[in-house]
Amino acid sequence: EVQLVESGGGLVQPGGSLRLSCTASGFTFRTHAMGWVRQAPGKGLEWVARIGTTSDFGTFYADSVKGRFTISRDNTKNILYLEMNSLKTEDTAMYYCAIVHSGAVMGDRGQGTQVTVSS
């Protein structure tokens, strides 16, 4: 059974930083592309960042987070990370990690971790 457990969310002031983690189990983590999606109140799901498998580690970032967020993975620990810097109020959302299938189709995702950026 695929399990994805996110952690690291919280309340932070504008300009602050957070690091999200996602611990994966129940599948071969290193052979799957992974990503982070978010859902702000009243809005749909949005891809934030994606990272390829061990063969290329290619990355994708939404324009809204380029230069501020960094996605990475540790295939020895089966953990996906999202380093978030210079946070803005518009980054407030529930953040989910997800398996990425071909064509950037979202697969299984976790329960999410809330990020709130507010002064």
Side-chain angles (χ1 to χ4, degrees):
E1 177 190 2
V2 171
Q3 286 199 329
L4 298 165
V5 180
E6 302 92 338
S7 61
L11 173 64
V12 63
Q13 292 187 340
S17 299
L18 283 173
R19 188 175 81 156
L20 305 184
S21 299
C22 171
T23 301
S25 62
F27 66 105
T28 308
F29 179 74
R30 60 181 171 81
T31 65
H32 285 72
M34 298 294 298
W36 290 92
V37 294
R38 68 185 180 186
Q39 186 166 30
K43 296 189 177 181
L45 287 169
E46 171 194 23
W47 278 114
V48 174
R50 299 191 295 269
I51 186 167
T53 64
T54 54
S55 61
D56 59 22
F57 273 18
T59 57
F60 157 86
Y61 294 95
D63 287 343
S64 59
V65 307
K66 278 181 183 176
R68 300 188 298 120
F69 290 12
T70 303
I71 188 170
S72 62
R73 63 191 298 164
D74 185 337
N75 287 337
T76 65
K77 298 180 180 178
N78 288 1
I79 300 178
L80 179 73
Y81 299 101
L82 185 68
E83 186 76 35
M84 305 187 295
N85 298 312
S86 302
L87 282 161
K88 305 176 180 180
T89 55
E90 52 263 44
D91 294 318
T92 294
M94 185 70 79
Y95 284 72
Y96 304 90
C97 75
I99 294 173
V100 182
H101 294 304
S102 179
V105 173
M106 186 176 66
D108 294 86
R109 60 182 165 103
Q111 294 298 306
T113 186
Q114 178 68 40
V115 171
T116 301
V117 184
S118 174
S119 56

